[in-house]
Amino acid sequence: MAQFQEVEKQSIMHPKPPGLTLHYGTAGLRTNAKHLDHAMFRMGLLATLRSKNTKATIGVMVTASHNPEEDNGLKLIDPMGEMMAPAWEHYATQLANADDLLTVLKDIIEKEAINMSQEANVFVGKDTRSSSARLSQAVLDGVSALDGHSKDYGLVTTPQLHYMVRCQNTKGKYGEATLDGYYSKLCQAFIQLTKNASNRTDDQKLLSVDGANGIGALKVREMESHLKKELQISLFNDGSQGKLNYQCGADFVKVQQKPPTGFKMNPGERYCSFDGDADRIVYYYTDSEGQFHLLDGDKIATLMSTFLKELLEQAGLNLKVAVVQTAYANGSSTHYLENTMKVIVRCAKTGVKHLHHAAQEFDVAVYFESNGHGTVLFSEAAEEKICQLAEDPNINDEKKRAALLLQNTINVINQTVGDAISDMLFIEAILAIKGMSVQQWDAVYADLPNRQLKVKVADRRAIDTTDAERRAVSPPGMQDTVDSLVNKYKQARSFVRPSGTEDIVRVYAEADTQESADALAHEVSLAVYRLAGGVGEEPKPLH
Ligand code: G16
């Protein structure tokens, strides 16, 4: 077949480094950018096969998101804008590591009974990393080697590319597959929502955004004119000076529990940070004593689900609302959601693909990881009921207002995946409508003090977990040790899991005081180091 000859010819230009093994992990392939050229070419091939297989447009986003600038990676996007199906993740790993590329390629074609004469379309996007241009070219080479058509969106955020894929495959029903279409849809919905905030002052329209020195900063600038001054963004860490994700961005702020560098915080004002590809967001402020307060994904999920539940009640719509979290969710947030809010709470494995899947079971589901990665899903039936109600001429004013707010909420949200820009607009709209300050939002419940640490081990797959990653099944003795350490502290909880995006093991601990959370996290880190083959220096106490 001429296509295979072309693949063979082109693959010589994208050689696989000997001895390198890659895994399609939590959010795709990710490692040092030096090692990725062959994998990018091959993922271009795979995206083309997936497009032929689904008879739809597929997306390939070149990014390593929160990782340091020298890393890169790729996320594959399925037809409805969701993360690629798990069965195909396995093919991605096989293909990336194949020594005999054509055999693996032919094997996938046979197993999936792919019609090679079917047309293929692939959308490609990239973040601002210096390696991204070269690597996205390798993806485009892969697509053309199998005679696929590609559209290069160039610099876009990850959620923007997810959005484009869904728009394309739903023939405009979701929106227009252009950046202008994306900004118009989200900003118009935001403006409609904030029209309901009659007492909104000019001060409440101000928000400071840390762009992580990445693509999010460029895109916020691009969006500004669409906001018609209804939100006035002061942008810092915009990429003009600092390094991507270095001492800034959502991951830094969440893990370090401190503000990013690059600006001075004014007490009481609202700030938020995006991550490197703008699919995560966290909020924060300092109080008059200079104390830093973080509003992470759990606080965001609480704000969004409360708002939606209230509106659904006002609209008289009996729809099931759920919140999907992960093991990292602060114990206080889960307690508040279950006992005060009385919403259904589910725990999924880390990775938005798992949360997204769990959320699809409900009429309305807010899914968020503590790290700020999340969105809201409405089932088709729920959307239909809301739209019907909004158009019903025989309902009272309260119901009408609630139905219209819900309709605009659907439009401000990017339902394909967590989206820092869309989440920011929704959060700002909720605060405006409820007339709520960031301090009032923060006071809804008090987080249990917590700490996250990383441990370097020889092979992180030595740790295996179960129960949505809340318990370790290997190495032997790991879980018993964690249990006995947890028992030493009050209101304590801890777990360990291998990261799917970095070559480390993650440790999470929470307890009644920060000292206890820090001590527990350190003791569990030591246990990981000793039982799972730690490398380098033993973890040191935090204080
Ligand atoms: C990715 C995933 C997230 C996940 C994070 C950390 O985020 O999309 O769902 O929480 O990695 O994963 P891990 O703990 O396995 O390293 P991003 O923003 O880097 O794409």
Side-chain angles (χ1 to χ4, degrees), residues 101 186 213 287 342 349 380 383 391 425 515 536 538:
L101 176 60
L186 269 59
N213 291 316
D287 60 28
K342 306 221 181 295
K349 279 167 74 173
E380 245 178 74
E383 278 197 23
E391 276 146 36
L425 295 177
E515 289 67 33
E538 240 187 31

Side-chain angles (χ1 to χ4, degrees), residues 18-183:
L20 177 78
T21 310
L22 296 169
H23 290 275
Y24 198 92
T26 312
L29 295 175
R30 220 172 271 194
T31 191
N32 189 296
K34 290 197 291 238
H35 308 309
L36 277 170
D37 181 77
H38 75 292
M40 294 290 171
F41 171 74
R42 292 168 182 214
M43 293 308 109
L45 300 175
L46 188 73
T48 311
L49 292 187
R50 182 71 178 148
S51 174
K52 289 176 187 289
N53 172 250
T54 56
K55 302 189 177 57
T57 297
I58 294 297
V60 182
M61 179 69 195
V62 176
T63 181
S65 188
H66 76 273
N67 290 44
E69 150 75 36
E70 54 275 20
D71 283 0
N72 216 323
L74 149 158
K75 298 176 177 178
L76 285 159
I77 305 165
D78 253 359
M80 287 305 280
E82 72 279 38
M83 302 276 196
M84 190 175 66
W88 280 70
E89 290 189 354
H90 175 66
Y91 295 147
T93 300
Q94 275 186 324
L95 210 55
N97 297 322
D99 287 320
D100 184 350
L101 176 60
L102 280 190
T103 303
V104 175
L105 203 63
K106 287 177 185 166
D107 206 40
I108 299 171
I109 294 167
E110 199 188 308
K111 272 197 192 127
E112 295 294 329
I114 295 169
N115 172 5
M116 290 305 284
S117 55
Q118 171 70 40
E119 200 185 89
N121 292 291
V122 179
F123 283 180
V124 181
K126 59 172 182 275
D127 72 10
T128 53
R129 286 178 158 78
S130 51
S131 57
S132 289
R134 161 179 74 80
L135 293 175
S136 78
Q137 187 52 52
V139 174
L140 293 165
D141 290 351
V143 177
S144 74
L146 274 180
D147 266 349
H149 303 287
S150 55
K151 177 164 177 169
D152 185 4
Y153 276 89
L155 291 168
V156 281
T157 69
T158 296
Q160 284 177 333
L161 194 70
H162 283 253
Y163 178 90
M164 303 307 164
V165 170
R166 178 137 165 186
C167 288
Q168 182 69 14
N169 289 321
T170 51
K171 310 219 169 355
K173 208 177 137 218
Y174 192 65
E176 195 192 295
T178 62
L179 279 172
D180 218 41
Y182 169 90
Y183 297 130

